[in-house]
Amino acid sequence: RARGTDLGATMWILGLLTACGGGSPATEAAAIANEIEKDPAGAEAVLKKHGTTAAAFEAQLYDIASDPAQTDEYLAARR
């Protein structure tokens, strides 16, 4: 991955943590996914509330999926 991409991802994560009030990226992503699951029609509003976009959220899910520990944490928070 390009170095600039890592910085962008880090900034996105910091923004997400600030918007969501803390927690790990995996648990915060799970919280967003849980909210979207409850109201799929309101997905855009949920993403906006958390200071993210569909594209950025999808990218974060791919990052989480690439790390086994984060994946386990995400899945536990989705239960």
Side-chain angles (χ1 to χ4, degrees):
R1 191 191 289 198
R3 188 177 172 116
T5 304
D6 289 337
L7 178 58
T10 300
M11 296 305 293
W12 182 86
I13 291 167
L14 289 173
L16 179 64
L17 292 174
T18 300
C20 296
S24 75
T27 57
E28 295 301 335
I32 293 170
N34 289 338
E35 285 186 51
I36 292 171
E37 184 176 46
K38 289 178 185 174
D39 181 19
E44 289 298 321
V46 170
L47 293 169
K48 185 175 181 176
K49 177 177 101 174
H50 289 278
T52 192
T53 65
F57 183 61
E58 181 179 359
Q60 181 61 22
L61 292 176
Y62 278 106
D63 287 344
I64 291 167
S66 71
D67 180 322
Q70 284 193 58
T71 298
D72 289 345
E73 189 175 345
Y74 174 84
L75 293 174
R78 288 283 285 148
R79 294 187 180 123

